[in-house]
Amino acid sequence: MVTRTVEAPGIREARARLEREDFRVFNVTPPKATSVAALTGLGRGGGAHLRVKANDFLLFNQQLAALVRAGIPILQAISMLRKRAASAKLRTVLGNVEDQIRGGSALSEAFAAQGGVFPRIYTASILAGERSGALDEVLSRYVTYMRRNVALRRKIRGALAYPLFLLFASACMVVFLTIYVVPRMSELFSGFGNELPTVTQIVVGLSGWLSSNVLWFGPLIIGGSVLLYLWSRTPSGKLQISALILKIPLAGSLAVQLSVAQATRSLATLLAGGITLVESWEIASESITNLELRRRSESILPMIREGRSFTESLEIAGWMPALAVDMIGIGERSGSLREMLDEVAVFYDAESEVRLEQLTTTLEPAILIVMGGVVVTILLAIYLPIIQSISSGAGVTGAR
């Protein structure tokens, strides 16, 4: 009887591989969690209720990098930052981390034990820094990585804030005119005695229906919105929404460019810490926020393990732009993959900013045109009968 170690995606694949080599397999035991990807995946289910804000987390890492660079011991640095943290949630988490370190755990293990509070790319970077003895450099690289992500989020929120406010204000105006103004004007119209214009009849009819059914129509909209929100939080709902976003002309290309920038920047950060390509991609693929693109990326890792090149695996996955794949291929063949991944991330950051500007400049006039058209239609429905009545009254006076 012999014991042999083989690399395979799972137990079934390992058994099949050994049986093809004419071994009689009695038992297959998975390895212990010794890889970077496995260690950073410990306890991922817990701690999800404690969400630390990105700005608080960025500030913490900036301070931690400065303290480590100054030569202050890790336990003392964590204790100092816990006492001075402005966020109560961050203080709670750092208290748990401090207890873990006092119990003999490494810093990376203490962070990984907090579950979903810290991203895997962070705990993997910390582990790589511990192994290489360059924790301060790894923290500095992660701070740079996080600054770019936070800045990008701010740009997206700032760019979409005005169109959303414009849409909300226009919708409130339409509801006010339809439910409050038009019903009161319709009482005035009934005394004119003339046949109302077609547009007025349509608007008055719609307004009357909404006013008489608002007691059940309002709760129906609110209930439907709540159900839609709850569905959008489910895995299937998130996946379908992500797939729908990719089909929208400008938004789809923006989502792809953002995902390319996120994935390549995360991968470059992990590779810079000395983590292998397989483990780095396993962790970096989780940074892809569009779940449909993340689903398409699931085939890349098995292909790399089978011996295919990273560039070929990306081509087969089929969602990354050809230019990005070509740039990555040049970096992989020349031995400068990490540097080229940084270049790809910077390039698609700039491209996504241009695409975001195009999206907002398209949304704003579109909202103005649509909502302005609705408001003008309602105002025409109100004023046309008045103008018609004045004109008919003037005609009668002239005939006399």
Side-chain angles (χ1 to χ4, degrees), residues 145-164:
Y145 161 83
M146 197 171 179
R147 277 178 183 164
R148 291 176 180 172
N149 282 351
V150 170
L152 184 61
R153 283 184 201 150
R154 287 175 180 168
K155 287 179 181 177
I156 293 175
R157 290 174 183 171
L160 295 179
Y162 179 68
L164 291 175

Side-chain angles (χ1 to χ4, degrees), residues 144-156 253-266 268-269 321 323-324 327 340-357:
T144 303
Y145 161 83
M146 197 171 179
R147 277 178 183 164
R148 291 176 180 172
N149 282 351
V150 170
L152 184 61
R153 283 184 201 150
R154 287 175 180 168
K155 287 179 181 177
I156 293 175
S253 58
L254 175 62
V256 171
Q257 290 171 350
L258 288 174
S259 297
V260 172
Q262 289 166 344
T264 52
R265 183 180 298 111
S266 302
T269 301
L323 178 60
M327 292 174 69
M340 188 58 73
L341 287 169
D342 278 328
E343 292 296 326
V344 172
V346 171
F347 175 79
Y348 278 96
D349 271 340
E351 286 291 303
S352 61
E353 288 180 14
V354 173
R355 190 70 63 180
L356 182 61
E357 186 177 352

Side-chain angles (χ1 to χ4, degrees), residues 44-68:
R44 298 305 294 177
H49 60 286
L50 286 175
R51 291 291 182 185
V52 179
K53 293 182 179 179
N55 289 333
D56 294 334
F57 190 44
L58 174 59
L59 179 61
F60 161 73
N61 280 287
Q62 288 174 333
Q63 295 171 338
L64 180 61
L67 293 176
V68 171

Side-chain angles (χ1 to χ4, degrees), residues 47 67 107 128 160 176 204 260 325:
L67 293 176
L107 181 63
L160 295 179
F176 173 74
V204 169
V260 172
V325 175

Side-chain angles (χ1 to χ4, degrees), residues 194-242:
N194 299 327
E195 183 180 358
L196 296 176
T198 304
V199 64
T200 304
Q201 294 179 19
I202 295 173
V203 171
V204 169
L206 180 61
S207 175
W209 182 83
L210 288 174
S211 300
S212 59
N213 296 286
V214 69
L215 292 179
W216 67 266
F217 191 67
L220 180 65
I221 293 178
I222 295 173
S225 301
V226 171
L227 289 176
L228 181 63
Y229 173 77
L230 294 176
W231 171 77
S232 68
R233 308 302 296 174
T234 62
S236 61
K238 291 179 180 178
L239 184 61
Q240 292 185 44
I241 292 174
S242 296

